[in-house]
Amino acid sequence: DSGVTQTPKHLITATGQRVTLRCSPRSGDLSVYWYQQSLDQGLQFLIQYYNGEERAKGNILERFSAQQFPDLHSELNLSSLELGDSALYFCASSVAGREQYFGPGTRLTVT
Amino acid sequence: EDQVTQSPEALRLQEGESSSLNCSYTVSGLRGLFWYRQDPGKGPEFLFTLYSAGEEKEKERLKATLTKKESFLHITAPKPEDSATYLCAVPLDTSYKLIFGSGTRLLVRP
């Protein structure tokens, strides 16, 4: 158990819908990273927050957004969902500049 | 272009048959190299961090080494429970966002 929690474990939704994925980092970790893992793309960095502020962005679609709250949990919002958004979504947390610990992931299926 | 390449893509071993996995990288200013293990449908599990050429880390049957251009994950006398995908990753910049290799799928047969 990494200490990072993610909910829900599974999500099945229809195209065009909006979903919210939630992540709670390890106690004491200020950085939260979001990654997408699909079969054809591998693990891809989406976005990072540090202590409530956006720190870095990857190739995140404009339909996707995220935020980190004062209690340090983070949410990833995915809207106008397409079939190609089906993937595993992981969050990871770390002390700045150190190894990242990953949560169990949310499996998103868009039908 | 910053890149991480892992080989082989897949590796089948008999129990007890030692081998090595390779991770080559091209990044400007290495800020560390990370090894992870991932079981199907699970989140990557942190194994090792290596920071400088010549550094080595060990954990049970696994040993990771680092040179200026690549890292190796040596598996000694593997067991079936070592079957998993092994990922390496490097941070791209001071945000420490990670770029991952595509992984090596290891299958250890009893």
Side-chain angles (χ1 to χ4, degrees):
Chain A
D1 184 356
S2 67
V4 178
T5 61
Q6 288 187 250
T7 57
K9 289 185 179 179
H10 302 279
L11 261 180
I12 302 175
T13 189
T15 53
Q17 295 299 304
R18 172 189 169 97
V19 297
T20 297
L21 314 184
R22 181 187 170 104
C23 167
S24 293
R26 294 187 318 159
S27 177
D29 286 355
L30 299 180
S31 277
V32 170
Y33 301 78
W34 286 96
Y35 293 86
Q36 179 191 58
Q37 187 174 39
S38 57
L39 284 175
D40 56 345
Q41 293 290 323
L43 263 167
Q44 301 284 321
F45 168 75
L46 294 176
I47 196 165
Q48 180 210 3
Y49 277 80
Y50 178 82
N51 201 21
E53 299 291 327
E54 182 184 301
R55 180 84 185 273
K57 261 185 173 180
N59 294 326
I60 187 169
L61 299 170
E62 286 190 9
R63 301 183 284 109
F64 295 3
S65 65
Q67 55 185 327
Q68 186 179 28
F69 295 87
D71 66 353
L72 300 178
H73 91 271
S74 178
E75 293 181 357
L76 179 67
N77 301 296
L78 314 177
S79 61
S80 302
L81 285 167
E82 302 175 357
L83 295 177
D85 298 327
S86 296
L88 274 165
Y89 291 85
F90 292 104
C91 78
S93 75
S94 75
V95 174
R98 302 293 297 274
E99 56 272 2
Q100 295 174 27
Y101 291 86
F102 283 75
T106 293
R107 181 177 294 279
L108 174 66
T109 302
V110 183
T111 61
Chain B
E1 180 187 355
D2 298 316
Q3 197 168 335
V4 177
T5 303
Q6 291 189 246
S7 62
E9 289 187 11
L11 182 62
R12 292 185 176 186
L13 300 173
Q14 287 296 127
E15 184 172 2
E17 180 187 1
S18 301
S19 188
S20 296
L21 283 54
N22 177 263
C23 171
S24 62
Y25 60 90
T26 52
V27 293
S28 53
L30 185 67
R31 294 175 179 81
L33 184 141
F34 302 94
W35 281 99
Y36 289 86
R37 168 193 169 126
Q38 186 176 28
D39 293 300
K42 309 285 187 182
E45 175 191 347
F46 171 74
L47 294 174
F48 303 109
T49 307
L50 302 166
Y51 286 106
S52 55
E55 189 174 359
E56 298 181 352
K57 294 272 181 74
E58 284 189 70
K59 178 180 180 181
E60 296 181 356
R61 296 175 292 282
L62 300 177
K63 178 179 172 181
T65 61
L66 182 66
T67 71
K68 287 187 178 179
K69 293 185 178 181
E70 58 192 348
S71 177
F72 292 93
L73 185 66
H74 307 279
I75 303 177
T76 302
K79 298 182 177 182
E81 53 262 42
D82 295 321
S83 297
T85 295
Y86 291 86
L87 299 163
C88 71
V90 296
L92 278 185
D93 53 38
T94 56
S95 74
Y96 281 79
K97 58 181 182 263
L98 296 177
I99 178 171
F100 280 86
S102 55
T104 294
R105 294 188 313 278
L106 174 66
L107 175 63
V108 181
R109 296 178 168 177

